[in-house]
Amino acid sequence: MPKLDICFSPELLPLYDLRGQVAVIVDILRASSTIVTALGEGVTHVFPVASLEECTAYGQQHGCLTAAERDGLPAPGFDLGNSPFGFLDAMRPVRGRALTISTTNGTAALRRSLAAAEVVVGSFLNLAAVANFAREQQRDVLVVCAGWKGRFCLEDTVFGGALAERLSADFDVRSSDATLAALHLWEQGKADLPAYLLQSAHVRRLNSLEASKDFEFCLRVDSYANVLPVWREDRLVMA
Amino acid sequence: MPKLDICFSPELLPLYDLRGQVAVIVDILRASSTIVTALGEGVTHVFPVASLEECTAYGQQHGCLTAAERDGLPAPGFDLGNSPFGFLDAMRPVRGRALTISTTNGTAALRRSLAAAEVVVGSFLNLAAVANFAREQQRDVLVVCAGWKGRFCLEDTVFGGALAERLSADFDVRSSDATLAALHLWEQGKADLPAYLLQSAHVRRLNSLEASKDFEFCLRVDSYANVLPVWREDRLVMA
């Protein structure tokens, strides 16, 4: 039976051997949720980059949409911020366009996970797609939490618990203390996920920036149940 | 109000600035519990070392008792293993003796925390002593979980939650997601701590080595309520 483990911070990735595994990159607030939304709304592919400079450069080089934020607000000079609602604006259709998105924590997590056999992006929005892919692959899975500046982050962890619950019949979810803890936290919070995560320091930071609409959107389980961003060469595309 | 934060692995310590803080080193199974027991039973001071070779060398140099284990069993050629019961044997009194103890995870956590203003050793056995010391110091506290080979470990985390609960009136225990998660896990497990921790992968490893007597002992909250090992120069002594 394959194993599901959870890495709470990209800083801990050197302790894991990703070869042959599926890496699920998670940055619930908001990079992974926004990438899922973008592909779900018809964006053809996504280049995740760390810095604003790279974002500008990719935008020019590939003629694609650019999305960037700093300190929770849209960065000036880019087409979009990091809010998923940027991809739901009827006035600015995104279908058929490529995207480059600047996300510090998420890009770091993704780049450090490329030794894996498959790298996919997970969020509550596409939980079912991630679970189905894991079952098909029949490989060990490592959930890589982007965290916040390398530190443990509640919402990414709780996603790991939700995935572990979905996979508990097909995967060993009991042999790692990280997975056990994530399962416990998910079980505590799932009845009212927004209320549970509103305690989180990170969420409160986001909230104070009036991004609570994003917060609620990012917790809608399976609203893009068939959208699975997978890493191919240098970009994320639909599986 | 000072802050209580929890670092889930020594590998994450570079993310924290320990200067001016109190570091609480935790390795519930079993190094920190054993060190508390040793001092509680009259051992004068403890030299924690990483390797068996250092343990032998310190033992010869300082003429002290030596304690070491490998893979959960007492290592051959040393006076004691890492079981707290080694210090409760009427046939081999330890009062007035010094001790050197080999503990890989615990020593790594301690040595990486020496930038702190105060370094103390925490366990369920001396939870009250740690909480009292923290209140007296009125400094920010970082609980440093020794973890298991650098990874997240349930029993050390749950201790962090227990300490956060004790200090919740005097410390900010809500501004770190790690502390919030530890509090939640402690709240879930505290009614029957042995049953809760028996799920843990690490505990099951220990259990399979017939060390369940140690396990139960290490969870006895406040059985050494006045014993606080503090780091002074090159050793742990009673506060």
Side-chain angles (χ1 to χ4, degrees):
Chain A
M1 189 178 262
K3 211 175 84 171
L4 177 86
D5 205 347
I6 305 183
C7 177
F8 287 146
S9 159
E11 303 293 322
L12 295 176
L13 275 170
L15 302 172
Y16 297 84
D17 183 2
L18 273 165
R19 287 173 299 177
Q21 301 202 10
V22 174
V24 180
I25 313 300
V26 185
D27 187 2
I28 297 296
L29 297 174
R30 292 168 288 179
S32 65
S33 304
T34 299
I35 288 169
V36 167
T37 304
L39 290 178
E41 296 299 326
V43 163
T44 55
H45 53 280
V46 179
F47 302 106
V49 295
S51 70
L52 297 183
E53 294 68 30
E54 284 174 281
C55 195
T56 305
Y58 264 80
Q60 291 171 347
Q61 190 184 336
H62 296 273
C64 53
L65 288 168
T66 56
E69 64 152 11
R70 274 307 168 266
D71 301 322
L73 295 170
F78 296 88
D79 301 319
L80 299 140
N82 271 1
S83 166
F85 284 100
F87 300 88
L88 294 163
D89 180 353
M91 302 297 288
R92 182 172 44 198
V94 297
R95 187 165 301 277
R97 299 289 305 273
L99 170 72
T100 179
I101 186 168
S102 163
T103 153
T104 316
N105 297 321
T107 300
L110 191 146
R111 296 215 179 269
R112 291 187 186 190
S113 301
L114 295 180
E118 295 283 357
V119 177
V120 303
V121 171
S123 70
F124 288 108
L125 307 176
N126 70 335
L127 179 57
V130 175
N132 290 338
F133 183 78
R135 275 191 212 98
E136 286 161 24
Q137 288 281 318
Q138 283 291 309
R139 297 171 181 274
D140 287 349
V141 169
L142 185 68
V143 176
V144 181
C145 299
W148 184 72
K149 297 187 178 176
R151 299 194 189 183
F152 176 91
C153 167
L154 196 57
E155 66 275 13
D156 295 348
T157 302
V158 167
F159 166 84
L163 182 62
E165 185 184 65
R166 290 268 178 119
L167 294 175
S168 58
D170 311 292
F171 281 72
D172 169 9
V173 297
R174 299 267 151 201
S175 67
S176 140
D177 275 12
T179 310
L180 275 176
L183 266 169
H184 288 319
L185 296 169
W186 163 247
E187 281 157 14
Q188 257 182 349
K190 67 181 175 181
D192 188 350
L193 202 52
Y196 191 70
L197 291 178
L198 267 175
Q199 304 169 70
S200 145
H202 184 196
V203 170
R204 279 181 279 132
R205 268 190 301 276
L206 191 74
N207 234 36
S208 66
L209 296 165
E210 297 177 358
S212 60
K213 207 174 59 151
D214 283 5
F215 168 65
E216 284 180 26
F217 183 88
C218 293
L219 303 185
R220 292 185 195 162
V221 176
D222 285 337
S223 57
Y224 290 105
N226 296 313
V227 174
L228 187 73
V230 297
W231 184 255
R232 290 288 175 263
E233 288 191 32
D234 61 348
R235 63 191 65 182
L236 291 162
V237 299
M238 279 277 263
Chain B
M1 190 180 259
K3 212 175 82 171
L4 177 86
D5 205 346
I6 304 182
C7 177
F8 287 148
S9 159
E11 303 292 322
L12 295 176
L13 275 171
L15 302 172
Y16 297 84
D17 183 2
L18 273 165
R19 286 172 301 176
Q21 300 202 13
V22 174
V24 180
I25 313 300
V26 185
D27 187 2
I28 297 296
L29 297 171
R30 291 168 287 179
S32 65
S33 304
T34 299
I35 288 169
V36 167
T37 304
L39 290 178
E41 296 299 326
V43 163
T44 55
H45 53 280
V46 178
F47 302 106
V49 295
S51 69
L52 298 183
E53 294 69 29
E54 284 175 281
C55 195
T56 304
Y58 264 82
Q60 290 171 347
Q61 190 185 335
H62 295 272
C64 54
L65 287 168
T66 57
E69 65 152 12
R70 274 308 170 262
D71 302 321
L73 295 171
F78 297 87
D79 301 319
L80 299 140
N82 270 1
S83 166
F85 285 99
F87 300 87
L88 294 163
D89 181 352
M91 301 297 288
R92 181 172 45 198
V94 296
R95 187 164 299 278
R97 299 290 305 273
L99 169 74
T100 179
I101 185 168
S102 164
T103 152
T104 316
N105 296 321
T107 300
L110 191 145
R111 296 215 177 269
R112 291 185 187 192
S113 301
L114 295 181
E118 295 283 356
V119 177
V120 303
V121 171
S123 69
F124 288 108
L125 307 176
N126 70 333
L127 179 57
V130 175
N132 290 338
F133 183 78
R135 276 192 212 98
E136 286 161 22
Q137 289 280 316
Q138 283 292 310
R139 297 171 181 274
D140 286 348
V141 169
L142 185 68
V143 176
V144 181
C145 300
W148 183 72
K149 296 186 179 176
R151 298 195 190 182
F152 176 91
C153 168
L154 196 57
E155 67 274 14
D156 295 348
T157 302
V158 167
F159 166 84
L163 182 62
E165 185 184 67
R166 291 268 177 121
L167 293 175
S168 57
D170 312 293
F171 281 73
D172 169 11
V173 298
R174 299 268 151 198
S175 67
S176 141
D177 275 13
T179 311
L180 275 177
L183 266 170
H184 288 320
L185 296 168
W186 163 248
E187 281 158 14
Q188 257 182 349
K190 68 181 176 181
D192 188 349
L193 202 52
Y196 191 71
L197 292 178
L198 267 174
Q199 304 169 69
S200 144
H202 184 195
V203 169
R204 280 181 279 131
R205 268 191 302 277
L206 191 74
N207 235 35
S208 67
L209 297 165
E210 297 178 358
S212 60
K213 207 176 58 153
D214 283 4
F215 169 65
E216 286 179 25
F217 183 87
C218 293
L219 303 186
R220 291 185 195 163
V221 176
D222 286 337
S223 57
Y224 290 103
N226 296 314
V227 174
L228 187 74
V230 297
W231 184 255
R232 290 288 174 261
E233 289 192 31
D234 61 348
R235 63 191 67 182
L236 291 162
V237 299
M238 279 279 261

